[in-house]
Amino acid sequence: MSARALGIDLGERRIGVAVSDAGGRMATPLVVLERSGGRPGDHRRIAELVAEYEAEVVVVGLPLSLDGGAGPAARGAAGEVEQLRSALGVPVVTHDERLTTVIANRSLAEAGLDGRARRRRVDMVAASVILQGWLDANRAERSP
């Protein structure tokens, strides 16, 4: 049985958010949240989206380095994930986000968006790439 999930792309200035369908099959870009200047406020906004969309899990992109190691960005994200686990009433898991921003930018460029329009959307599209990867991986694990 699948459930709705939120995908999160944590950035320094923005947080991209995506949502899955109720069956947990397809991720869709949802919104870009501008960082408020404090993690508690940002996490409250994410909690509101969890409640609004009745998400049963939150998937946060973990920015591993290309060799799979956990550099400063991954360690920072892992610390914020721990805070999210305390702030949200649902499980929070991580998923490898290597190259998701590259994929998101390429997709938006292929759709004909200029640089300015891509910058406004790239974080939520990256969140949908992260979430779709997690959905696909979990579907493969559940298949016989």
Side-chain angles (χ1 to χ4, degrees):
M1 180 171 150
S2 298
R4 189 176 313 271
L6 279 187
I8 305 291
D9 180 35
L10 296 172
E12 288 184 30
R13 286 181 263 149
R14 291 176 296 281
I15 300 170
V17 183
V19 65
S20 76
D21 62 312
R25 290 191 173 93
M26 184 180 301
T28 304
L30 181 62
V31 67
V32 175
L33 304 173
E34 294 294 327
R35 287 281 192 173
S36 66
R39 283 186 180 175
D42 296 339
H43 296 173
R44 272 192 300 278
R45 291 162 58 207
I46 294 169
E48 290 167 1
L49 292 170
V50 167
E52 179 179 348
Y53 288 90
E54 300 177 347
E56 295 183 25
V57 63
V58 173
V59 181
V60 180
L62 189 61
L64 298 172
S65 55
L66 289 178
D67 68 3
R75 288 190 296 274
E80 187 164 0
V81 165
E82 288 305 314
Q83 293 172 346
L84 280 167
R85 286 184 175 133
S86 297
L88 306 178
V90 298
V92 178
V93 299
T94 60
H95 186 74
D96 183 357
E97 72 165 47
R98 280 178 283 183
L99 302 177
T100 56
T101 301
V102 172
I103 294 165
N105 263 312
R106 185 172 298 143
S107 171
L108 291 168
E110 289 172 0
L113 276 72
D114 65 21
R116 183 181 190 136
R118 284 197 307 267
R119 281 189 297 279
R120 286 195 309 265
R121 293 177 178 84
V122 70
D123 299 297
M124 69 179 170
V125 173
S128 73
V129 173
I130 293 163
L131 181 55
Q132 190 64 56
W134 183 84
L135 293 170
D136 292 347
N138 281 313
R139 188 169 33 254
E141 288 176 10
R142 289 189 307 266
S143 297

